[in-house]
Amino acid sequence: MTDMANTNGLREVSRRAVRSKIAQAAEELFAVKGFDATTVDDIAESVGMSQRTFFRYFASKEDAALDSFERQSDDFLARLAGRPSEEAPWDSLRRVFDVVVEQCADAGHRERVAAVHRFIEASPTLLAAYLQKMDCLQQRLLEALVARSSANGRTADEPVLRAVVGAAFACLQAALARTADSLEGEDIATCLDRVMAALRPSCCG
Amino acid sequence: MTDMANTNGLREVSRRAVRSKIAQAAEELFAVKGFDATTVDDIAESVGMSQRTFFRYFASKEDAALDSFERQSDDFLARLAGRPSEEAPWDSLRRVFDVVVEQCADAGHRERVAAVHRFIEASPTLLAAYLQKMDCLQQRLLEALVARSSANGRTADEPVLRAVVGAAFACLQAALARTADSLEGEDIATCLDRVMAALRPSCCG
DNA sequence: ACTGTTTTGACAGTGACTGACAGATATGTC
DNA sequence: GACATATCTGTCAGTCACTGTCAAAACAGT
């Protein structure tokens, strides 16, 4: 037991590597055959492992498909933590969404994002799982905003703040839907700015 | 074949009756045992039918749990259709949400709604299905708003309108969450009015 | 080489859901 | 009332997602 921390760290790295290998293989299969027509056995076989082992890395088929959003959620929270606490929540959230905007700056990455959104919307059950993940993320962002608001001495109106977060995500979803529909018709950043300007809360949002 | 329309109408009525009988039994079981711990066989047995017949009335266990929202969706669309087309979408949506406010006026009904929301939030998979249903409803309301906008001669900015609908629903969800958390703390109508006033889009929403 | 930990595969089992078929039931005609 | 027909229902077999269990295998440190 020379350095258990190092060993555990290595285990973590290895685990992460296997996870993303599975997620990548799954993504390719989903893009070709669709989510519903692809079985977990298909995915497991394509990475050379048993079905049982797949489920040791992902709790469900949906989780494997939405792995990229798991990392994105952490990025969102990190961005929010990096924003000044006096900033209006609406402006902070716009900066948080830059995570997506920056992802879409690279053309290759943009195509990948579009492909994922395509097979998500093609499967009702996967779409449901996606929406739940977004809901969970909103919850976490809301908690962070409430915490920083009370740390600032101000006591926030929670229902309003919750609605503000939900409204901001509605703007993001609208901008994403736009770029998915009309390819290259409009820049995501431009569309997002326009929509979020139109929806900006009048007071203390 | 004297009157096929009448027969078909009777069949429809009968089918509806069976459906709501199943949905009611399911709701009671879910409220007691929770959604995940209740099997489809449990529900089928409690209404005296086979599992196979259950699935002839509902495509999934989730659908049986969310049956009440199916009817609510139709009510939402009907309300929107009854609103003047010159009205601002935001105001129309607030009137649409009166469907929920009126439901909650009756104390007994309010408790039932609270119970349903309780077991929805207790099950991640059911919550996911609920969110997807709401998403689908937003889509339908958006289409209606786009149609009435273009019928009015004005051509709407679709991304903005989509975000407006999403933001309005975020307000509704926030108000519902509020009444679920702090029982009797605040009237739903009051909370909804306050939140929707704070989030009202500045221009042409 | 030895030991304790972790990872893995094989197996069996549950629960949601579907297709196919045959018997029961109801409806309309004579 | 007898009969033909459309619909409803239960049974059965099968697929797929997912879980618990256990023993073999891969790996770590000594």
Side-chain angles (χ1 to χ4, degrees):
Chain A
M1 214 236 273
T2 42
D3 48 358
M4 168 173 132
N6 188 13
T7 297
N8 281 352
L10 281 176
R11 288 203 197 285
E12 258 308 297
V13 169
S14 163
R15 184 173 174 78
R16 247 184 262 271
V18 176
R19 259 185 77 99
S20 61
K21 190 173 140 193
I22 298 172
Q24 194 180 332
E27 205 175 295
E28 284 166 19
L29 285 172
F30 294 152
V32 176
K33 296 176 59 178
F35 179 78
D36 295 315
T38 305
T39 69
V40 174
D41 284 316
D42 290 340
I43 304 167
E45 191 188 5
S46 92
V47 292
M49 60 170 56
S50 71
Q51 192 207 57
R52 191 67 187 85
T53 299
F54 170 91
F55 282 113
R56 289 197 176 97
Y57 285 92
F58 290 101
S60 67
K61 198 170 80 165
E62 283 82 3
D63 270 13
L66 303 174
D67 183 58
S68 56
F69 295 100
E70 200 69 32
R71 271 164 296 171
Q72 202 186 62
S73 295
D74 294 337
D75 291 346
F76 274 34
L77 283 162
R79 285 282 171 120
L80 182 61
R83 292 269 99 204
S85 61
E86 323 83 51
E87 190 176 47
W90 194 254
D91 296 321
S92 293
L93 289 166
R94 176 60 191 84
R95 286 308 120 212
V96 165
F97 295 159
D98 276 338
V99 169
V100 177
V101 171
E102 288 162 18
Q103 268 183 5
C104 291
D106 173 50
H109 210 295
R110 186 170 51 219
E111 178 46 42
R112 204 179 74 92
V113 169
V116 171
H117 275 272
R118 224 173 291 136
F119 69 66
I120 285 179
E121 270 155 40
S123 162
T125 72
L126 183 56
L127 177 58
Y130 168 76
L131 292 171
Q132 198 236 333
K133 221 161 243 271
M134 289 297 113
D135 189 68
C136 178
L137 173 56
Q138 287 177 44
Q139 192 77 27
R140 293 210 280 163
L141 289 169
L142 172 63
E143 281 163 21
L145 284 169
V146 168
R148 95 175 185 182
S149 158
S150 61
N152 253 22
R154 287 168 291 149
T155 165
D157 185 342
E158 209 205 285
V160 169
L161 201 47
R162 178 188 296 264
V164 166
V165 174
F169 267 78
C171 293
L172 178 61
Q173 288 296 108
L176 283 169
R178 168 69 152 196
T179 54
D181 287 354
S182 58
L183 284 185
E184 313 297 332
E186 186 179 18
D187 189 29
I188 294 189
T190 310
C191 183
L192 187 55
D193 281 333
R194 179 163 50 87
V195 176
M196 285 192 79
L199 275 269
R200 166 176 270 283
S202 48
C203 71
C204 49
Chain B
M1 213 235 270
T2 44
D3 46 358
M4 166 173 133
N6 188 13
T7 297
N8 282 352
L10 281 176
R11 288 206 197 284
E12 258 306 298
V13 169
S14 164
R15 184 175 174 78
R16 249 184 261 270
V18 177
R19 259 184 77 99
S20 61
K21 189 172 141 193
I22 298 172
Q24 193 180 331
E27 205 175 295
E28 284 166 20
L29 285 172
F30 294 153
V32 176
K33 296 177 59 178
F35 180 77
D36 295 315
T38 306
T39 69
V40 173
D41 284 315
D42 289 340
I43 304 167
E45 191 188 5
S46 92
V47 291
M49 60 171 57
S50 72
Q51 191 207 58
R52 192 67 185 85
T53 299
F54 170 92
F55 281 113
R56 288 197 176 97
Y57 285 92
F58 290 101
S60 67
K61 198 170 80 163
E62 284 82 3
D63 270 12
L66 303 174
D67 183 57
S68 56
F69 296 100
E70 201 69 32
R71 270 164 296 171
Q72 203 186 62
S73 295
D74 294 338
D75 291 347
F76 273 34
L77 283 162
R79 285 283 171 119
L80 182 60
R83 292 268 98 205
S85 62
E86 323 82 53
E87 191 176 46
W90 194 254
D91 296 320
S92 293
L93 289 166
R94 175 60 191 83
R95 287 307 120 213
V96 165
F97 295 160
D98 275 338
V99 169
V100 176
V101 171
E102 288 162 19
Q103 269 182 4
C104 291
D106 174 48
H109 210 294
R110 185 170 51 219
E111 179 46 42
R112 204 179 75 92
V113 169
V116 171
H117 274 273
R118 225 173 290 135
F119 68 66
I120 286 178
E121 270 156 40
S123 162
T125 72
L126 183 55
L127 177 58
Y130 168 75
L131 292 171
Q132 198 235 333
K133 221 161 243 271
M134 289 297 113
D135 190 67
C136 179
L137 173 56
Q138 286 178 43
Q139 192 78 27
R140 292 210 282 164
L141 289 168
L142 173 62
E143 280 163 22
L145 284 169
V146 168
R148 96 176 185 181
S149 158
S150 62
N152 252 22
R154 287 168 292 150
T155 166
D157 185 343
E158 208 206 286
V160 169
L161 201 47
R162 178 187 296 264
V164 165
V165 174
F169 268 78
C171 294
L172 178 61
Q173 287 296 108
L176 283 170
R178 168 69 152 195
T179 55
D181 288 355
S182 58
L183 284 186
E184 314 297 332
E186 187 178 18
D187 189 29
I188 295 189
T190 310
C191 184
L192 187 56
D193 281 332
R194 179 163 50 87
V195 176
M196 285 191 79
L199 275 271
R200 165 177 270 284
S202 48
C203 71
C204 48

Coordinates of all heavy atoms in Angstrom, one line a residue, chain A residues 6-7 10 18 23 29 37-38 43 48 56 74 80 85 87 100 110 114 125 149 152 162 169 171 184 190 198 202:
Chain A
N6 N -2.8 7.2 -5.5 CA -2.4 7.1 -6.9 C -3.1 5.9 -7.6 O -3.6 6.1 -8.7 CB -0.8 6.9 -6.9 CG -0.3 6.9 -8.3 OD1 -1.0 7.4 -9.2 ND2 0.9 6.5 -8.5
T7 N -3.1 4.8 -6.9 CA -3.8 3.6 -7.5 C -5.3 3.9 -7.7 O -5.8 3.7 -8.8 CB -3.7 2.4 -6.5 OG1 -2.4 2.1 -6.3 CG2 -4.5 1.3 -7.0
L10 N -5.5 6.1 -10.7 CA -5.4 5.3 -12.0 C -6.7 4.5 -12.3 O -7.1 4.5 -13.5 CB -4.2 4.3 -11.8 CG -2.8 4.9 -12.0 CD1 -1.7 3.9 -11.8 CD2 -2.7 5.6 -13.4
V18 N -12.8 3.6 -20.3 CA -13.7 2.6 -20.7 C -15.1 3.2 -21.0 O -15.8 2.9 -22.0 CB -13.8 1.4 -19.7 CG1 -14.9 0.4 -20.1 CG2 -12.5 0.8 -19.5
A23 N -19.4 4.8 -24.7 CA -20.3 5.9 -25.2 C -20.1 6.2 -26.6 O -21.1 6.5 -27.4 CB -20.1 7.1 -24.3
L29 N -23.4 3.6 -33.2 CA -24.5 2.7 -33.6 C -25.9 3.4 -33.6 O -26.7 3.1 -34.5 CB -24.6 1.6 -32.5 CG -23.4 0.5 -32.7 CD1 -23.4 -0.4 -31.5 CD2 -23.6 -0.3 -34.0
A37 N -33.7 0.6 -32.2 CA -33.3 -0.6 -33.0 C -31.9 -1.2 -32.5 O -31.6 -2.3 -32.9 CB -33.3 -0.3 -34.5
T38 N -31.2 -0.4 -31.8 CA -29.9 -0.9 -31.3 C -30.1 -1.5 -29.9 O -30.6 -0.8 -29.0 CB -28.9 0.3 -31.2 OG1 -28.8 1.0 -32.4 CG2 -27.5 -0.2 -30.8
I43 N -24.2 -3.0 -28.6 CA -23.2 -2.1 -28.1 C -22.1 -2.9 -27.4 O -20.9 -2.7 -27.7 CB -23.8 -1.1 -27.1 CG1 -24.9 -0.3 -27.8 CG2 -22.7 -0.1 -26.6 CD1 -25.8 0.5 -26.8
G48 N -16.6 -5.4 -27.4 CA -16.0 -6.6 -26.9 C -16.1 -6.9 -25.4 O -15.2 -7.2 -24.8
R56 N -22.3 -2.3 -15.8 CA -21.5 -1.8 -14.7 C -20.9 -0.4 -14.9 O -20.4 0.2 -14.0 CB -20.4 -2.8 -14.4 CG -20.9 -4.1 -13.8 CD -19.7 -4.9 -13.2 NE -20.2 -6.2 -12.6 CZ -20.2 -7.4 -13.2 NH1 -19.7 -7.5 -14.4 NH2 -20.7 -8.4 -12.6
D74 N -21.5 19.4 -16.0 CA -20.4 19.8 -15.1 C -19.8 21.1 -15.6 O -19.5 22.0 -14.8 CB -19.3 18.7 -15.0 CG -19.8 17.5 -14.3 OD1 -20.8 17.6 -13.5 OD2 -19.3 16.4 -14.5
L80 N -20.9 28.7 -14.2 CA -21.7 29.6 -13.3 C -20.9 30.0 -12.1 O -20.9 31.1 -11.6 CB -22.9 28.8 -12.9 CG -23.9 29.6 -12.0 CD1 -24.4 30.9 -12.7 CD2 -25.1 28.8 -11.5
S85 N -20.9 37.1 -8.4 CA -22.2 36.9 -7.8 C -23.1 38.1 -7.9 O -24.3 38.0 -7.6 CB -22.0 36.5 -6.4 OG -21.4 37.5 -5.6
E87 N -23.7 39.7 -10.7 CA -24.3 39.7 -12.0 C -25.7 39.2 -12.0 O -26.0 38.3 -11.2 CB -23.4 38.7 -12.9 CG -23.8 38.8 -14.4 CD -22.8 37.9 -15.2 OE1 -22.6 36.8 -14.8 OE2 -22.3 38.4 -16.2
V100 N -22.0 25.8 -24.9 CA -22.6 25.2 -26.1 C -22.2 25.9 -27.4 O -21.8 25.3 -28.4 CB -24.2 25.2 -26.0 CG1 -24.8 24.6 -27.3 CG2 -24.6 24.3 -24.9
R110 N -19.8 20.5 -34.3 CA -21.2 20.9 -34.5 C -22.0 19.8 -35.2 O -23.2 19.6 -34.9 CB -21.2 22.2 -35.4 CG -22.6 22.8 -35.5 CD -22.5 24.2 -36.2 NE -21.7 24.2 -37.4 CZ -20.9 25.2 -37.8 NH1 -20.7 26.2 -37.0 NH2 -20.2 25.1 -38.9
A114 N -25.3 17.9 -33.8 CA -26.5 17.8 -34.6 C -27.0 16.3 -34.7 O -28.1 16.0 -34.6 CB -26.3 18.4 -36.0
T125 N -38.6 7.7 -26.0 CA -38.0 7.3 -24.6 C -36.7 8.0 -24.4 O -36.4 8.4 -23.2 CB -37.9 5.8 -24.5 OG1 -36.7 5.4 -25.3 CG2 -39.1 5.1 -24.9
S149 N -27.1 34.0 -4.2 CA -27.9 35.2 -3.9 C -28.0 35.4 -2.4 O -27.9 36.5 -1.9 CB -29.3 34.9 -4.4 OG -30.3 35.7 -3.8
N152 N -25.0 36.8 -1.0 CA -24.9 38.2 -1.3 C -25.7 39.1 -0.3 O -25.8 40.3 -0.5 CB -25.3 38.5 -2.7 CG -24.2 38.8 -3.6 OD1 -23.0 38.5 -3.3 ND2 -24.5 39.5 -4.7
R162 N -36.6 30.1 -10.1 CA -36.7 28.8 -10.8 C -37.3 29.0 -12.2 O -36.8 28.4 -13.2 CB -37.7 27.9 -10.0 CG -38.0 26.6 -10.7 CD -39.1 25.9 -10.0 NE -38.8 25.5 -8.6 CZ -38.3 24.3 -8.2 NH1 -38.1 23.4 -9.2 NH2 -38.0 24.1 -7.0
F169 N -33.4 28.2 -20.3 CA -33.2 26.9 -21.0 C -34.1 26.8 -22.1 O -33.8 26.2 -23.2 CB -33.4 25.8 -20.0 CG -32.1 25.3 -19.4 CD1 -31.5 26.0 -18.3 CD2 -31.5 24.1 -19.8 CE1 -30.4 25.5 -17.7 CE2 -30.3 23.7 -19.3 CZ -29.7 24.4 -18.2
C171 N -34.9 29.3 -24.0 CA -34.2 30.0 -25.0 C -33.1 29.2 -25.7 O -33.0 29.1 -26.9 CB -33.6 31.3 -24.4 SG -34.8 32.5 -23.8
E184 N -27.2 25.9 -41.0 CA -26.3 27.0 -41.4 C -27.1 28.3 -41.7 O -26.6 29.2 -42.2 CB -25.5 26.6 -42.7 CG -24.8 25.3 -42.6 CD -23.8 25.2 -41.5 OE1 -23.2 26.2 -41.1 OE2 -23.6 24.1 -40.9
T190 N -25.9 34.2 -32.4 CA -26.8 35.2 -32.8 C -28.2 35.0 -32.4 O -28.9 35.8 -31.9 CB -26.7 35.4 -34.4 OG1 -25.3 35.5 -34.8 CG2 -27.5 36.7 -34.8
A198 N -35.1 39.2 -26.2 CA -36.6 39.3 -26.2 C -37.2 38.8 -24.9 O -38.3 39.4 -24.5 CB -37.1 38.6 -27.4
S202 N -37.9 41.6 -16.8 CA -38.0 43.1 -16.6 C -37.2 43.5 -15.3 O -36.3 44.4 -15.4 CB -39.4 43.6 -16.5 OG -40.1 42.7 -15.6

